[in-house]
Every structure is written in structure tokens, then in C-alpha cells.
Amino acid sequence: MGRSPCCEKAHTNKGAWTKEEDDRLIAYIRAHGEGCWRSLPKAAGLLRCGKSCRLRWINYLRPDLKRGNFTEEEDELIIKLHSLLGNKWSLIAGRLPGRTDNEIKNYWNTHIRRKLLSRGIDPTTHRAINEPAASREVTTISFAGSTTKEETEKCITAGINSNNKEENSPVSERCPDLNLELRISPPYQQQALEPLKTGGRTSSLCFACSLGAQNSKGCSCNESGSSSNSGYDFLGLKTGVLDYRSLEMK
DNA sequence: AAACCGTACAACCGCCACACC
DNA sequence: AGGTGTGGCGGTTGTACGGTT
């Protein structure tokens, strides 16, 4: 016996939402809150699939959505997070307040992806497209062994902090499936040692902080002068292995 | 002015994970 | 332990819109 459909498709609207539908959905959620998307359409008087209502609310109607163009800081963060997480849009969105997974996914596919390709960078591997295969031993973080979202979050934070070269890293203990094949290379340009510059000004947040790991072991905000030991270098973002700061983003 | 093309983004679809029974 | 319902996620599609020819 197959699964029952999520809604009665014959009696549901599809396509673009009307203003009236939006108003109904907003009014209902304001009155009753989110939850039970399956029964929501009927209760709210909407001829829509529950899934469609959820998507519309999460991606468009939610009051805390930022909307508008992505900033340079957001661009950089998305690229860095994607290099760490891959197409885990919901996780990436979780680190960008006011942005949705759908929005970020679209932005990636329409803007960032093309930009990286035009620079000769593979948007999937975050490596130079013509880079020899032998040198493509990249940092890959697998979440296959992370059974819960919380564990995955721990692994992300662990990844942020994994720059230290100590042996027997606690990261491995917490996340046994975490592949920490790190690529460690010396800085190849002086610029890489300068503080992170974004949009023509200097950002005061290190990558660890931008990921919500303030005051963690990998946080380098409080280090004076050189940031050569900061926590986000595990991707080579500062060493010059990957340096997206030179990229122009619209 | 019209046709064509590329881009951006909202929305849909199918699958998966989890909770509950 | 297995079946079922639901929510959530990622990939893909559809379409409106602006630019170009």
C-alpha cells in the first residue's frame, strides 16, 4: 500500500499565490501559530496543499525574513559554508539570519556558482578546475555518522575549530565520521595574513564567530595583531589555497 | 515593435528522517 | 519491530521580467 498523498490534488490551487491567499495564511498563523501544516489549509480556508502553505510561509511570508540583495559578508559566508557543508542549504541558512534555504540555494545557483566558474573555481569542490587530481585532497566533512541535527551542528563547530594541529583531537572523538584530511599549506601571499576585508572595509569577526562559535577555541577575534592562528584557516581560506576575497560579487 | 534569449526566483516534486502508534 | 503520517530538505521546473538583436 502506497503512501497517501499529502493533499487532495484535484481540489488545490497551484502556482503563484494571490494576495488574498497570503493574507489568509498570515492571519491564520498569527492567530494559531505554525504547526500541523496538513490541516492548516482547510482550517485557514485555503485551497492549497499543506506543503505549499509551509513553503510560502517559510520562504516568503515569515516576518523575520530579511529579503533584498545579499551583502558582501553574506556572499563570503555562503561560499565558506558551502565549501564546508556542501549543498546543505538548510544548515547554511541556519547561519544566515533572515535568509531561507530556498533563497540561498537560488542565489548560489544564479550568482555565486557562475561567479566561481568564471574564476576557474569548481563550485562543487571549491578547487581550481584545472588543478591536478593529486593535489585535490580536500577537507571533507561527512555527516553520515551524525544521527541528529545537534550532532551535525557539533561537527560543524568542530570543523571550525579543527585548525589546531594537535593530535588526538577531541573532534575525532565527538564525530568519528569526521574526515579531517586537512590541507595545510603556507601562505603564498602577504595579503592572506591581513585581516579579513569585506566590501572595502575590515571585518572584525573571525570565521568562527561568523558561524556562531564566538569565544570558541577557534575564535581569533581577540588575538592582537596577526591572525595567523585563527580558526577558519582549516579550509585554506586564509592561506591562499582558497581566497575568495579577491572575487567580485555583484 | 516584436521576437528571442538569459536571468532570477517562486513554487513544486520526490525523497528521506523522524515521531508516533 | 514495523507501519504510517508528517515535516523538512534538496533538486528541478515554470514563469515573469529585462536586455538584446
Side-chain angles (χ1 to χ4, degrees), chain A residues 86-183:
Chain A
N87 294 356
K88 300 289 180 189
W89 305 116
S90 61
L91 285 174
I92 294 172
R95 304 283 175 174
L96 283 134
R99 301 295 187 183
T100 71
D101 53 355
N102 204 41
E103 191 179 13
I104 293 169
K105 178 174 60 182
N106 282 330
Y107 187 65
W108 176 269
N109 287 327
T110 56
H111 291 84
I112 301 178
R113 192 179 153 80
R114 200 173 323 129
K115 181 65 72 177
L116 292 183
L117 282 171
S118 73
R119 302 285 174 180
I121 296 170
D122 187 330
T124 305
T125 64
H126 292 260
R127 297 280 158 187
I129 289 170
N130 55 1
E131 188 175 348
S135 65
R136 292 193 188 184
E137 291 195 8
V138 298
T139 302
T140 54
I141 296 179
S142 166
F143 301 109
S146 306
T147 55
T148 66
K149 249 186 171 177
E150 287 70 26
E151 284 181 32
T152 303
E153 288 287 323
K154 276 185 191 174
C155 288
I156 295 169
T157 305
I160 296 165
N161 294 335
S162 65
N163 186 49
N164 66 71
K165 285 98 183 167
E166 296 166 16
E167 293 183 0
N168 303 321
S169 162
V171 171
S172 304
E173 291 170 23
R174 281 201 305 264
C175 311
D177 199 44
L178 194 61
N179 181 350
L180 291 174
E181 285 183 63
L182 300 181
R183 177 193 173 106

Side-chain angles (χ1 to χ4, degrees), chain A residues 187-197 227 237-240 243-247:
Chain A
Y188 79 107
Q189 54 187 192
Q190 189 60 34
Q191 181 196 2
L193 291 174
E194 293 173 5
L196 186 65
K197 288 178 183 170
S227 57
L237 289 164
K238 284 180 57 192
T239 63
D243 188 358
Y244 296 108
R245 281 165 291 151
S246 60
L247 297 184

Side-chain angles (χ1 to χ4, degrees), chain A residues 65-90:
Chain A
L65 292 181
K66 193 182 280 183
R67 312 210 58 82
N69 293 338
F70 282 75
T71 65
E72 287 289 329
E73 286 82 1
E74 286 175 316
D75 277 2
E76 288 194 25
L77 187 53
I78 290 168
I79 292 169
K80 288 168 186 171
L81 285 167
H82 186 271
S83 69
L84 173 63
L85 301 167
N87 294 356
K88 300 289 180 189
W89 305 116
S90 61

Side-chain angles (χ1 to χ4, degrees), chain A residues 12-87:
Chain A
T12 55
N13 292 339
K14 289 178 75 171
W17 280 64
T18 64
K19 179 80 171 61
E20 188 186 351
E21 286 177 313
D22 282 347
D23 290 343
R24 276 181 185 270
L25 182 57
I26 291 168
Y28 183 86
I29 291 177
R30 276 189 185 150
H32 302 93
E34 294 180 42
C36 201
W37 294 106
R38 188 181 171 89
S39 60
L40 185 149
K42 195 176 179 182
L46 288 163
L47 293 175
R48 288 277 178 175
C49 168
K51 269 183 153 184
S52 181
C53 293
R54 177 183 162 273
L55 260 295
R56 182 65 179 172
W57 173 255
I58 288 175
N59 290 328
Y60 201 82
L61 298 176
R62 241 171 49 198
D64 58 326
L65 292 181
K66 193 182 280 183
R67 312 210 58 82
N69 293 338
F70 282 75
T71 65
E72 287 289 329
E73 286 82 1
E74 286 175 316
D75 277 2
E76 288 194 25
L77 187 53
I78 290 168
I79 292 169
K80 288 168 186 171
L81 285 167
H82 186 271
S83 69
L84 173 63
L85 301 167
N87 294 356

